[in-house]
Amino acid sequence: QVQLVESGGGLVQPGGSLRLSCAASGSIFSINAMGYYRQAPGKERELVATITSGGSTNYADSVKGRFTISRDNTKNTVHLQMNSLKLEDTAIYYCNAAAVVNSTVGYRARELWGQGTLVTVSS
């Protein structure tokens, strides 16, 4: 079974830091882009940051200079280091991957999502 498993959410005070991690497992042939999205209460899911297999990154304007995304291609993992957290960063964070998986009918492109991890920024 191909899946993304997330870890690292929690409660932090404004100005604090958290590190999210996401690991892909299963019959994965390759992964192109990996990234994180978030969804705050009452809002739509939005892109936070992405990183390609070559290391090119893209960030939402709201997190530039505070968040850093990185990945380990050998382990199919992605990390999001979040610093200087603000109240408005409170959301469920979802890991995402554009993968090619090995299925019973051959190689197939699949978009994978993690189960989500809650980040709460509160004083």
Side-chain angles (χ1 to χ4, degrees), residues 19-30:
R19 179 177 170 87
L20 305 183
S21 296
C22 173
S25 63
S27 298
I28 295 173
F29 176 72
S30 65

Side-chain angles (χ1 to χ4, degrees), residues 5-86:
V5 178
E6 302 183 51
S7 60
L11 173 64
V12 64
Q13 292 185 340
S17 298
L18 279 176
R19 179 177 170 87
L20 305 183
S21 296
C22 173
S25 63
S27 298
I28 295 173
F29 176 72
S30 65
I31 299 178
N32 186 7
M34 299 186 80
Y36 279 92
Y37 291 70
R38 68 186 180 186
Q39 187 166 18
K43 295 187 177 182
E44 295 186 353
R45 190 174 297 189
E46 63 176 2
L47 180 146
V48 176
T50 61
I51 183 168
T52 67
S53 57
S56 295
T57 58
N58 180 50
Y59 295 92
D61 288 342
S62 59
V63 306
K64 283 181 180 177
R66 300 188 297 122
F67 291 9
T68 302
I69 191 168
S70 61
R71 66 186 281 177
D72 184 336
N73 291 332
T74 64
K75 297 180 180 179
N76 286 336
T77 57
V78 63
H79 308 281
L80 185 68
Q81 178 65 43
M82 305 185 294
N83 299 328
S84 302
L85 282 160
K86 303 177 180 180

